[in-house]
Amino acid sequence: MASLNLPEAFARLPRLDSQKLALATGFLALAAMALAVWDVTGGTLATSSRLTLLAFIGSGIGIVLHRADFGFAGGFRALVEHRDVSAFKAHALMLLILSLIALPLLSMGEIFGQRLVGVVTPVGVSFVLGALIFGIGMQIGGGCASGTLYGLGSGDIRLGLTLAGFVAGSTLAASQMDFWWSLPKTGAVTLLQSTSLVNALAIQVGMITLFWGIMHLVGRRCTDPNGLQSPQNWPLVWGAIGLALLNGAVLIVSGQPWGEAPAMALWGSKIVAWFGVDVLWWDYWARPGFDRQIEQNVLFDSVSVLNISIVIGALIAAAATGQFRFRAPPGLAVWVGALLGGLMMGYGARLTNGCNIGAYVSGVGTGAISGWAWLALAIAGSYAGVKLRPVFGLPRQARTDGTGC
């Protein structure tokens, strides 16, 4: 009887495919997320069904973000560096579709018993400063808010530090909002509060068309409709359509459009509360109804459910296409930039009541004039941020994605 050679025996075993393992992990995580939401909410049909559905919508957002490489930091960088407006033309399509969905819904006030609210944000000193800070931060941090989530899901370990910085910056800002709210500001202006639905739609379509036209003129030297996007990805147009439809679904199911930044302040505040800080004394959490978020399980929070699910969806998309891999760029400066950029984005997002999604995309898409102000200010901030990228060991070449550093 021949002796058994254990090394040879193990070598003959089928090798575990890392992409299949990551894909299985993603599906298991999504199932666990849905079950956890149902369990935490006590199986109350309305609440449990709504939050469970949001988990699947969030994973869909993560899949679309990854497959279309649809981000914002790279798109802003492409604009200021090379006049490549591919990302912004896709944004215009996304904003148009979202507006056609969201404005009629918001004019109804509710649907299926769910109250609907849009973005209502005043513009003032804190808003201006916050948008500028966010624009700088997303260039040195490695991605915007959505880019951080889907990049982390695809295996970019550095973005874990960016996310940690985002949470810390949001929490710090939340503790100081009594000061920022005291500064001069204008009243919040939205189209639906100012005019009829028909007029609001006409104005919105006109403004988005003008936005597209300006981008077309600014980027007249760029002839590639997908800019510097990788051919492995979906066309940006597909990403724009998918994200607009999913944002509309978020509005219907949760009662508010897609946002990401509020959850970061919640997570950080819960952490410091665990260490004994009485966050309920902060003006940010002293607002009616907000104190309940601190006391409840985080899975009661629809924005938290969406954020976690976006990471899971990106993991599924990356693994399904053989693109999942852990990445950790060398050099201390890159990691310092990730943390600092995250801190700046988190702090800036609280001052503007949202990030590139909540303040810009969902802001413009629901007719909030503040969304356009955020866009202009974030572009200015990105210009400064791009100049700072070499300090943190990051190249300045532009891509249309949110995590291409």
Side-chain angles (χ1 to χ4, degrees), residues 234-328:
W234 291 349
L236 287 172
V237 169
W238 294 10
I241 295 172
L243 292 177
L245 295 176
L246 288 167
N247 199 341
V250 171
L251 175 61
I252 293 172
V253 175
S254 72
Q256 59 188 8
W258 176 25
E260 296 171 335
M264 312 301 190
L266 175 62
W267 299 349
S269 297
K270 279 182 169 290
I271 292 172
V272 298
W274 189 82
F275 282 100
V277 178
D278 191 355
V279 301
L280 294 180
W281 282 98
W282 300 353
D283 282 12
Y284 183 82
W285 294 114
R287 292 175 292 171
F290 277 70
D291 56 338
R292 188 171 64 251
Q293 291 183 281
I294 296 295
E295 298 164 355
Q296 288 180 328
N297 188 295
V298 72
L299 293 182
F300 273 98
D301 177 49
S302 61
V303 181
S304 295
V305 171
L306 280 171
N307 284 359
I308 297 169
S309 300
I310 287 171
V311 177
I312 295 172
L315 168 59
I316 292 172
T321 54
Q323 296 176 323
F324 178 82
R325 69 184 188 281
F326 289 112
R327 307 180 298 283

Side-chain angles (χ1 to χ4, degrees), residues 188-258:
V189 179
T190 69
L191 292 178
L192 285 178
Q193 291 177 345
S194 306
T195 186
S196 67
L197 173 61
V198 173
N199 289 339
L201 285 171
I203 294 171
Q204 186 79 334
V205 170
M207 292 174 68
I208 294 173
T209 301
L210 177 62
F211 169 58
W212 187 94
I214 293 173
M215 289 295 107
H216 182 72
L217 290 175
V218 169
R220 60 184 179 273
R221 296 177 183 175
C222 180
T223 58
D224 183 354
N226 284 310
L228 303 175
Q229 194 183 34
S230 167
Q232 295 180 341
N233 302 320
W234 291 349
L236 287 172
V237 169
W238 294 10
I241 295 172
L243 292 177
L245 295 176
L246 288 167
N247 199 341
V250 171
L251 175 61
I252 293 172
V253 175
S254 72
Q256 59 188 8
W258 176 25

Side-chain angles (χ1 to χ4, degrees), residues 151-186:
L152 182 61
S154 68
D156 192 335
I157 298 174
R158 172 199 46 165
L159 292 177
L161 192 58
T162 304
L163 180 60
F166 204 124
V167 171
S170 296
T171 307
L172 177 61
S175 72
Q176 302 171 347
M177 289 309 295
D178 55 336
F179 167 74
W180 294 112
W181 284 336
S182 69
L183 299 180
K185 57 183 176 294
T186 65

Side-chain angles (χ1 to χ4, degrees), residues 73-74 77-78 81-82 138-142 158 329-330 334 385-399 403-405:
R77 189 162 67 255
E81 282 286 272
H82 302 297
M138 71 176 173
Q139 294 304 333
I140 65 177
R158 172 199 46 165
V334 174
V386 166
K387 303 298 182 183
L388 291 171
R389 282 174 64 84
V391 176
F392 297 99
L394 298 170
R396 286 174 57 172
Q397 65 262 30
R399 292 170 55 192
T403 57
C405 296

Side-chain angles (χ1 to χ4, degrees), residues 53-147:
L53 184 55
L54 281 175
F56 290 103
I57 294 173
S59 66
I61 291 174
I63 290 171
V64 174
L65 285 170
H66 181 274
R67 292 299 297 119
D69 221 0
F70 200 102
F72 296 82
F76 278 63
R77 189 162 67 255
L79 171 66
V80 302
E81 282 286 272
H82 302 297
R83 297 173 64 185
D84 180 349
V85 297
S86 306
F88 283 94
K89 286 188 174 182
H91 293 181
L93 175 61
M94 174 178 57
L95 294 171
L96 177 62
I97 297 172
L98 176 59
S99 299
L100 295 176
I101 296 171
L103 291 180
L105 286 173
L106 290 171
S107 70
M108 294 166 55
E110 67 174 51
I111 186 170
F112 306 130
Q114 173 69 63
R115 180 171 174 266
L116 303 177
V117 295
V119 174
V120 182
T121 303
V123 176
V125 175
S126 60
F127 184 97
V128 171
L129 182 61
L132 289 170
I133 290 174
F134 192 99
I136 297 171
M138 71 176 173
Q139 294 304 333
I140 65 177
C144 57
S146 55

